[in-house]
Amino acid sequence: MAKETQNEMLKRLFIENNLVKEDVFKHKFYNIITRQGIDKIMAANNIEIQYEILNLSEDHTHCLIKALGKKGDKIIETFGECTPKNNSNAYPVAMAEKRAKSRIVLQLAGFYELGVFGEDEAEDFKRPKN
């Protein structure tokens, strides 16, 4: 059997995870999955996540969250961070959690290794306005 190309793998993962056109968009060099798409992938793969705040500044502007994700027997750890330098929102803890969630879900589901990111991972990854 011939090895799948990267585009074939992505197409297969999109189908297996019930993603639709609105769940994905192209940003410069990357495919970006929306927050709704991340939630679909998490549900389709029965991914469980536990979060721990490792650092929260007194003024609540800087936050570091550790996420421990589980899919079957596979367990991985990653982090989500938020500072005024990478966040323009007034809720850094929620943003750090969203970033950790996107990363761990995409890693466990096999998207990350194909260069796919979540829209919450960086301010620059927002869908362009039409």
Side-chain angles (χ1 to χ4, degrees), residues 1-67:
M1 184 170 152
K3 186 177 178 182
E4 281 183 305
T5 66
Q6 183 169 335
N7 283 339
E8 290 168 339
M9 285 188 278
L10 281 173
K11 184 175 181 178
R12 178 178 47 78
L13 285 172
F14 291 159
I15 292 168
E16 289 173 359
N17 289 280
N18 305 310
L19 298 178
V20 296
K21 182 180 177 184
E22 293 78 17
D23 295 325
V24 182
F25 62 94
K26 190 77 170 165
H27 182 272
K28 296 181 184 174
F29 309 107
Y30 308 111
N31 287 306
I32 306 295
I33 297 187
T34 65
R35 187 172 320 127
Q36 293 84 359
I38 296 293
D39 289 339
K40 287 180 181 182
I41 295 167
M42 186 174 172
N45 288 275
N46 297 311
I47 294 173
E48 299 172 21
I49 305 173
Q50 294 178 347
Y51 302 97
E52 178 184 354
I53 296 176
L54 297 181
N55 186 1
L56 180 59
S57 64
E58 285 187 32
D59 63 359
H60 288 211
T61 59
H62 296 71
C63 183
L64 176 64
I65 290 182
K66 177 172 76 170

Side-chain angles (χ1 to χ4, degrees), residues 33-120:
I33 297 187
T34 65
R35 187 172 320 127
Q36 293 84 359
I38 296 293
D39 289 339
K40 287 180 181 182
I41 295 167
M42 186 174 172
N45 288 275
N46 297 311
I47 294 173
E48 299 172 21
I49 305 173
Q50 294 178 347
Y51 302 97
E52 178 184 354
I53 296 176
L54 297 181
N55 186 1
L56 180 59
S57 64
E58 285 187 32
D59 63 359
H60 288 211
T61 59
H62 296 71
C63 183
L64 176 64
I65 290 182
K66 177 172 76 170
L68 191 65
K70 181 179 180 199
K71 176 186 172 191
D73 293 336
K74 187 176 183 180
I75 297 173
I76 63 170
E77 176 182 280
T78 194
F79 300 88
E81 70 290 324
C82 192
T83 73
K85 291 183 179 181
N86 66 15
N87 176 50
S88 60
N89 295 311
Y91 41 92
V93 175
M95 283 308 302
E97 179 186 348
K98 289 175 189 178
R99 290 174 178 169
K101 179 181 183 179
S102 288
R103 291 174 183 149
I104 210 151
V105 166
L106 294 174
Q107 287 173 11
L108 284 169
F111 283 91
Y112 228 57
E113 64 195 54
L114 298 173
V116 177
F117 297 94
E119 73 174 331
D120 292 321

